[in-house]
Amino acid sequence: MDKLVIRGGNPLLGTIRVSGAKNAALPAMAAALLTDEPVILENIPQVRDIETTRRLLAAMGAEVELGYGRAQHRTTICARTLSSPEASYELVKQMRASSLVLGPLVARCGRARVSLPGGCAIGARPIDLHIKGLEQLGAKITQDHGYVEATADRLKGGEIVFERITVTGTEDLLMAATLADGETVLRNCAREPEVADLADLLNKMGAQIEGAGTSTIRVRGVSKLHGAKHRIIPDRIEAGTFIIAGAMTGGDLNIVGCDPSHLAALLAKLHQVGVKTAQSADAVRVMGDAPFKAADITTEEYPGFPTDMQAQYMALATQAEGVSIITENIFENRFMHVLELVRMGANIKVEGRRALVRGKASLSAAAVQASDLRASASLVLAALVADGETIIDRVYHIDRGYEHIEEKLKSVGAQIRRIGEILPKKAAAPAARP
Ligand code: EPZ
């Protein structure tokens, strides 16, 4: 298993380009299941979850071509025939977002068999709202042996009111409704930019969707969708992570190829903390070594403060004067990074869904391990300012959602390298008996 070795202390100077959004690319790849024509997706990030999705779709019979070389950020998917509309436990356990194929498969093939995701480091994360929604569109659902089976001759348009806001739940039902008979109204929807990006792709494929990006989405079902070409939006969470890296290291960093309008809640909070930034249409520049002031955050659905930036913000809060109260409202177990940060010298107390971060702490390097994608990003941020050389284990978590993070950080002056697991030397073969 790879590790990252980071020597802290260098200010980050220069320009980093943001990749396409993982959380927009995954539903877009699932959407290709809705048509028998090719769907070309550009600005696809080279992260492990994309590879897992490629294998998921290929196992169903879809042709998935991941570009390489100059075309490395392009993917062409053609689900002409879907011999087995199934998502196996082997793949779903690696990536919960696999449940995004449920709606498209039952809508296109009239049946789907998808493994239930099971537990996750950051919370229970059930998919009951996906299932309830499909039932409201007329699907017959059974569950056994850890799998959900959904069947329907043709889904029927209807009204779905989500009991709680769910990002992939909204995306899953949005995709299912595109091929349903009649109109579907989705209420209390997620308003994340990734949902609007998906609707943009679906409308290019011939769907009739209005209101994506708001709480109410209307979908007039059509009998068939066609192929399309679509460029995925930039990754606002990757951009946010690098903005905090620039701030914490007292650098002068230009994060380009992002959409600052998707980062409004984060930037507003960073300005409150004392971080200096300048924005343009597709870039954020973070400058200087300003002292940071503590400020509280509460994670919320978009456009509120994103839960996927909570861990990274906590790393910054360890460097702010005073006590920052961090309240995690979306996932019930998203403080796995706390004890690792404490191992590096941070002063953090957890009380239920609140973490009290007392700063400014002088962090010292240590051997730490990542538990999930964003937790690993917060450890990288802490290591960039810690005294000495930090070794972060289990970085496969970070590879799930950050494209070549060590190369990007190294290109702006970070002392970071990846080391493969040093396999114990094979014991010498016993001398051959005479
Ligand atoms: C999406 O997950 C993102 N993943 C997550 O990003 C992100 O943290 C999350 O939205 C919240 O913003 C992708 O887009 C692939 P939810 P999702 O359904 O859709 C509960 C990252 O780091 N819920 O909006 O799975 C659920 O347990 C990842 O990139 C139900 O109870 O999240 C949670 O408490 C991590 N029943 C809350 O709703 C359901 O059927 C919000 O979850 C669905 C969700």
Side-chain angles (χ1 to χ4, degrees):
M1 247 184 285
D2 286 7
K3 300 176 196 291
L4 283 177
V5 181
I6 301 173
R7 176 169 293 285
N10 284 17
L12 301 185
L13 306 168
T15 298
I16 286 187
R17 175 164 292 283
V18 168
S19 301
K22 165 185 79 79
N23 290 348
L26 301 180
M29 293 175 78
L33 295 171
L34 290 163
T35 176
D36 56 5
E37 295 178 20
V39 171
I40 301 169
L41 301 173
E42 293 181 332
N43 203 26
I44 292 285
Q46 293 214 308
V47 296
R48 219 148 48 80
D49 277 8
I50 297 296
E51 173 51 26
T52 307
T53 307
R54 183 194 68 73
R55 282 192 281 126
L56 185 69
L57 301 182
M60 296 171 192
E63 289 152 33
V64 186
E65 193 197 308
L66 288 185
Y68 55 92
R70 285 168 61 75
Q72 61 182 308
H73 293 106
R74 176 188 296 174
T75 294
T76 304
I77 302 165
C78 186
R80 189 171 301 110
T81 51
L82 293 172
S83 46
S84 115
E86 176 163 328
S88 70
Y89 175 64
E90 275 325 300
L91 288 168
V92 174
K93 77 176 180 194
Q94 291 174 43
M95 182 189 69
R96 324 176 51 72
S98 308
S99 49
L100 278 165
V101 302
L102 189 56
L105 287 177
V106 70
R108 163 97 187 277
C109 313
R111 68 187 178 89
R113 185 166 187 272
V114 173
S115 167
L116 284 164
C120 167
I122 64 176
R125 303 185 72 182
I127 58 166
D128 58 316
L129 301 177
H130 299 230
I131 293 168
K132 273 198 200 107
L134 284 175
E135 281 174 333
Q136 284 164 295
L137 295 184
K140 194 167 149 313
I141 306 262
T142 56
Q143 289 187 31
D144 64 2
H145 305 299
Y147 279 77
V148 177
E149 298 241 6
T151 55
D153 297 338
R154 183 174 182 198
L155 295 174
K156 300 229 166 339
E159 178 164 20
I160 295 172
V161 183
F162 290 105
E163 286 157 35
R164 74 172 294 177
I165 294 175
T166 159
V167 177
T168 51
T170 301
E171 294 165 342
D172 202 6
L173 276 304
L174 178 60
M175 290 188 276
T178 57
L179 292 176
D181 180 11
E183 182 174 79
T184 296
V185 181
L186 304 172
R187 297 190 191 285
N188 197 27
C189 297
R191 293 181 277 164
E192 270 68 3
E194 294 77 21
V195 174
D197 194 45
L198 174 64
D200 192 10
L201 164 63
L202 292 168
N203 279 340
K204 285 177 186 164
M205 294 167 66
Q208 297 179 11
I209 300 168
E210 285 162 15
T214 75
S215 301
T216 303
I217 303 177
R218 281 178 196 284
V219 187
R220 264 188 302 289
V222 296
S223 55
K224 195 174 181 326
L225 292 173
H226 51 73
K229 191 173 177 180
H230 179 70
R231 184 176 175 78
I232 297 290
I233 57 173
D235 196 315
R236 61 194 167 96
I237 306 299
E238 185 196 20
T241 304
F242 289 136
I243 292 169
I244 290 186
M248 285 178 71
T249 60
D252 185 339
L253 201 55
N254 215 1
I255 294 102
V256 300
C258 65
D259 183 337
S261 71
H262 294 167
L263 295 158
L266 174 70
L267 292 171
K269 186 54 67 176
L270 294 182
H271 296 154
Q272 200 186 326
V273 167
V275 176
K276 292 194 179 40
T277 70
Q279 282 109 262
S280 62
D282 68 349
V284 174
R285 182 174 168 200
V286 54
M287 300 154 283
D289 201 6
F292 305 133
K293 303 186 290 297
D296 304 345
I297 60 160
T298 298
T299 62
E300 293 169 294
E301 296 87 359
Y302 192 88
F305 192 97
T307 174
D308 292 349
M309 282 304 302
Q310 178 256 98
Q312 299 93 313
Y313 181 83
M314 188 181 286
L316 174 68
T318 67
Q319 301 306 296
E321 297 296 343
V323 176
S324 306
I325 300 175
I326 296 179
T327 306
E328 173 55 58
N329 266 342
I330 305 295
F331 292 108
E332 61 274 22
N333 184 33
R334 202 168 202 180
F335 284 146
M336 299 288 280
H337 40 285
V338 168
L339 291 179
E340 300 301 309
L341 290 171
V342 168
R343 281 175 48 72
M344 297 178 75
N347 179 342
I348 308 172
K349 297 222 173 359
V350 173
E351 298 164 355
R353 286 196 177 220
R354 293 182 347 140
L356 284 72
V357 185
R358 185 179 298 281
K360 171 180 171 72
S362 32
L363 300 180
S364 58
V368 291
Q369 65 182 4
S371 53
D372 62 79
L373 171 58
R374 308 305 171 183
S376 42
S378 79
L379 300 179
V380 168
L381 295 174
L384 288 170
V385 298
D387 174 29
E389 200 165 72
T390 296
I391 300 178
I392 304 177
D393 198 355
R394 300 183 179 186
V395 288
Y396 58 83
H397 285 293
I398 211 164
D399 294 336
R400 291 192 53 185
Y402 289 89
E403 179 175 330
H404 310 315
I405 191 164
E406 76 272 21
E407 280 152 34
K408 288 192 178 185
L409 287 172
K410 205 186 289 175
S411 72
V412 290
Q415 292 188 73
I416 180 170
R417 68 187 194 281
R418 175 184 294 255
I419 56 172
E421 187 167 11
I422 303 134
L423 297 171
K425 282 209 176 43
K426 270 213 196 65
R433 253 195 264 283

